[in-house]
Amino acid sequence: MKEPILRRAFQDFYPDHTSYCYGCGRLNETGLQIKSYWEGDEAVCTFQPRPEHTAVPGYVYGGLLASLVDCHATGTAAAAAYRAAGRDMDTEPPFRYVTGSLHVDYLRPTPLAGPLTLRAQVKEIKGRKTIVSVQLYAAGQLCVRGEVVAVQMPDDMANTK
């Protein structure tokens, strides 16, 4: 019987020297370490908030929600760049993105209990800039909507080792 192929998250392909972000860096031991995956043309991330992410008892702090939207969107932008180039995510040179702008609309309080699901769609890729829209759900309800302008990391920043 053939072993199943395990999916790797977008963030698992980031070079080590760009893997320390508080939100998405796999090498940041105290960070959020989010993981994003393709589901068709949509990128999906599931995150379980912890008690220290409390705004008021029972609800998630808005800054955490913005961080989740931000990092999920920049990871989606990187994965989309590889797709557009017809390249595997472990090929050189790496595509890494930083935030050019972040817009977040808080639609309803987000409960702390249970996992959060983020769904992202690429709206536009133009040169080094990618626009990504993100929706964040808790218990099936849309709680946050965001849009990120992600910009390809400058070469002097991306190639620092």
Side-chain angles (χ1 to χ4, degrees):
M1 178 178 210
K2 192 173 183 179
E3 290 289 322
I5 297 173
L6 298 176
R7 292 191 316 166
R8 286 178 63 193
F10 305 159
Q11 296 83 1
D12 292 339
F13 290 98
Y14 294 171
D16 286 354
H17 64 281
T18 62
S19 294
Y20 290 93
C21 173
Y22 178 76
C24 59
R26 64 183 156 71
L27 299 177
N28 187 328
E29 292 179 18
T30 60
L32 304 175
Q33 297 185 0
I34 72 161
K35 303 291 185 189
S36 305
Y37 304 89
W38 285 123
E39 284 187 8
D41 288 333
E42 196 169 57
V44 177
C45 170
T46 302
F47 182 81
Q48 177 62 57
R50 301 185 298 260
E52 63 267 26
H53 300 140
T54 297
V56 295
Y59 295 94
V60 179
Y61 162 63
L64 171 76
L65 301 172
S67 292
L68 294 172
V69 167
D70 183 22
C71 284
H72 182 52
T74 57
T76 300
Y82 283 101
R83 268 191 172 182
R87 292 177 38 199
D88 290 331
M89 289 191 69
D90 59 352
T91 59
E92 297 287 334
F95 288 122
R96 280 293 273 121
Y97 282 74
V98 293
T99 308
S101 84
L102 168 65
H103 179 89
V104 179
D105 292 317
Y106 299 94
L107 306 174
R108 65 174 29 101
T110 303
L112 189 64
L116 307 177
T117 301
L118 293 96
R119 297 190 167 278
Q121 303 80 33
V122 176
K123 291 177 66 177
E124 178 183 333
I125 298 175
K126 190 172 185 179
R128 295 175 68 91
K129 178 177 82 171
T130 301
I131 301 172
V132 179
S133 64
V134 179
Q135 304 79 44
L136 183 147
Y137 298 87
Q141 289 199 311
L142 180 61
C143 296
V144 176
R145 189 174 40 227
E147 184 171 281
V148 173
V149 176
V151 180
Q152 191 173 347
M153 193 178 280
D155 292 338
D156 62 340
M157 188 178 176
N159 294 323
T160 303
K161 293 185 180 187

